[in-house]
Amino acid sequence: MTMIRFVVFVLVLLAIAAPGVDAATIVHEPLLSSGGADRERGDAKLVVRGRGNTLRAALRVRARKLTDDTVYDVTVDGVRIGSFTTSRRGTGKIRFRTKPSPNSTLLGVDPRGRVIAVVSSRGKLVLSAALPLTGIDPGDVRCCLPDDSGTECEDRTAAECTAQGGVNLGGGSCLPNPCAGAVVSPGGTDVRCCTPDDSGPHCEDRTVNECAAEGGINVGTGVCLPTDCALTGGGTGPTTGRIEVTCDARSGRSKVSVDARNLASGSYAARVTSGAAAVTSPLRATVGDEVEFDFDSQPDDIAAGAVALAPTFITGTPPQVTGELLSGAGVVASSTVDCRIDD
C-alpha cells in the first residue's frame, strides 16, 4: 500500500510539472431571462488556455425553454457572432472557438468584460449575462514583446512593459493576439471588424491583429455590409437611456457610481474605464425605468454589494472615468467625467 501511494504521489508531481500542460481559466455564468425567472434559461461557459502566442479559447452558449424550431442569434456587446436553431423541446446550443472546427464557429473576441446575449430573429433580447474579467488584471496592459516565434502579447504593468522594451497597447485581453506579426488573417486577407464608435460599432476591413488592437470584434472574412455590426436587441418602454457618472479619487481609494434612467425594462451592466483599466459589473434588473451601480475599493462597501475596484483604479491628470451602460444590444449610453479629488 505504501509503495502504491508513493507511485501515485510521484505521478501527480510529474503531471503538475509537465511542460506544455496549460492551466485553464474557466468562466461559467448563467444567462438571465429578460422575461422573468420562470421563463427562458441558459448559461455561457468560457475556457481560456495557454499564454502568449498559444492563447486560445472556447465558448459554449446553451439555452432552454425557448420557442421550438426557431433561430436565435448570439451577440457580444450587441454584435452578432453566430446563431442556433432550437429543438422541438425549445433547447439550443452553439460552440465558438478561436480556431474553429467543423462543429464550432469563430470566436473573434475575448468575451470577458462584455455582455453576451441570446436575441430572437425579430431583435428581442431573450437572455443575457455580463461576463466577469476572470484572469484579466485591470492593472495590466497588453504589452507586445519580441519572441523567437514572433511578437508576443503578455500581460504587464505599464512600467514593466516600458522597462522590457515592449509596445504598450493599453488595457484589454491578449486574445486574439493584437501584436503585429503574431496572427495572420485567413488567406492573408482582411477580416470584417466591428470596431467601437460613439454611435455604435461599425464594420471596417482590418487584419486580425489590427482588429484586436482596436478592441474590435472579428466576425470573419467577407465584404463589410451596413448590417454586419448593427446593434440587435430590444424591449418595450423607453429606449433613450441616460446615465450619470460620478467618481471620487482619494488617497488609497477609488469610488465610481453609474446611475441610469429612462430605460426599457430589463437587465443591464455597467462598465467603468480609467486609463488602461476597465471593470464590468454583473447584470442588474431595472426598477421602474432606472438602474444604479456602485464601484468601490473599500472592503465595507464591497461587502455591501459594490463592485470591487483597485484602490489606484482611477488615474489621469485630471483623474477621469468613462462609464458605459451595457445591454444585449451593446452600449446603451456612455459618459466621461473628471473625478473629484479628496485628500
Side-chain angles (χ1 to χ4, degrees):
M1 180 64 70
T2 302
M3 179 59 70
I4 292 175
R5 288 179 177 172
F6 177 78
V7 171
V8 171
F9 178 73
V10 171
L11 290 175
V12 170
L13 288 179
L14 289 174
I16 294 174
V21 177
D22 294 330
T25 296
I26 300 175
V27 180
H28 195 182
E29 287 289 311
L31 295 171
L32 302 181
S33 170
S34 61
D38 295 331
R39 297 182 60 182
E40 306 90 347
R41 298 180 183 177
D43 65 281
K45 182 178 181 180
L46 175 71
V47 179
V48 181
R49 298 182 184 274
R51 59 180 296 274
N53 294 347
T54 66
L55 203 60
R56 61 195 186 280
L59 171 68
R60 183 206 67 202
V61 176
R62 185 170 56 182
R64 56 190 183 278
K65 293 191 176 183
L66 305 184
T67 304
D68 59 347
D69 294 322
T70 301
V71 177
Y72 289 86
D73 290 334
V74 175
T75 67
V76 172
D77 280 0
V79 175
R80 179 186 176 277
I81 62 171
S83 62
F84 62 83
T85 302
T86 54
S87 68
R88 292 182 179 180
R89 294 186 176 182
T91 62
K93 181 171 64 177
I94 184 171
R95 297 182 184 275
F96 301 87
R97 295 183 183 275
T98 46
K99 294 184 178 180
S101 65
N103 298 320
S104 61
T105 301
L106 172 69
L107 180 62
V109 66
D110 189 336
R112 288 176 290 182
R114 298 176 183 260
V115 174
I116 290 183
V118 175
V119 182
S120 74
S121 59
R122 294 184 177 181
K124 180 182 178 182
L125 177 63
V126 180
L127 295 163
S128 60
L131 295 195
L133 288 167
T134 305
I136 299 177
D137 188 338
D140 286 345
V141 300
R142 297 172 296 168
C143 183
C144 294
L145 295 166
D147 184 76
D148 293 340
S149 58
T151 308
E152 186 175 74
C153 182
E154 294 285 357
D155 298 323
R156 297 284 189 272
T157 65
E160 290 171 343
C161 186
T162 299
Q164 295 175 24
V167 177
N168 180 352
L169 295 184
S173 169
C174 282
L175 181 74
N177 197 321
C179 301
V183 181
V184 179
S185 301
T189 61
D190 287 344
V191 297
R192 292 170 296 154
C193 180
C194 296
T195 57
D197 187 79
D198 291 341
S199 59
H202 60 282
C203 191
E204 299 282 355
D205 295 325
R206 296 286 189 269
T207 66
V208 171
N209 306 103
E210 291 169 342
C211 186
E214 295 176 18
I217 298 175
N218 172 7
V219 293
T221 57
V223 177
C224 274
L225 299 175
T227 56
D228 281 338
C229 303
L231 297 180
T232 58
T236 59
T239 58
T240 308
R242 299 177 182 177
I243 66 170
E244 180 181 356
V245 179
T246 58
C247 50
D248 294 309
R250 307 179 188 179
S251 177
R253 183 181 183 184
S254 291
K255 180 179 180 180
V256 184
S257 294
V258 178
D259 300 331
R261 62 185 185 277
N262 201 36
L263 302 173
S265 60
S267 295
Y268 297 83
R271 180 165 58 214
V272 294
T273 304
S274 185
V279 173
T280 303
S281 75
L283 285 170
R284 181 167 295 176
T286 51
V287 177
D289 69 345
E290 300 181 354
V291 65
E292 298 179 355
F293 302 89
D294 291 321
F295 299 79
D296 211 311
S297 59
Q298 287 289 93
D300 290 347
D301 290 282
I302 295 171
V307 180
L309 294 178
T312 57
F313 175 82
I314 298 176
T315 59
T317 306
Q320 284 189 334
V321 166
T322 297
E324 297 171 296
L325 186 70
L326 308 172
S327 76
V331 178
V332 177
S334 175
S335 177
T336 299
V337 298
D338 292 342
C339 301
R340 185 173 60 187
I341 302 174
D342 292 328
D343 295 330

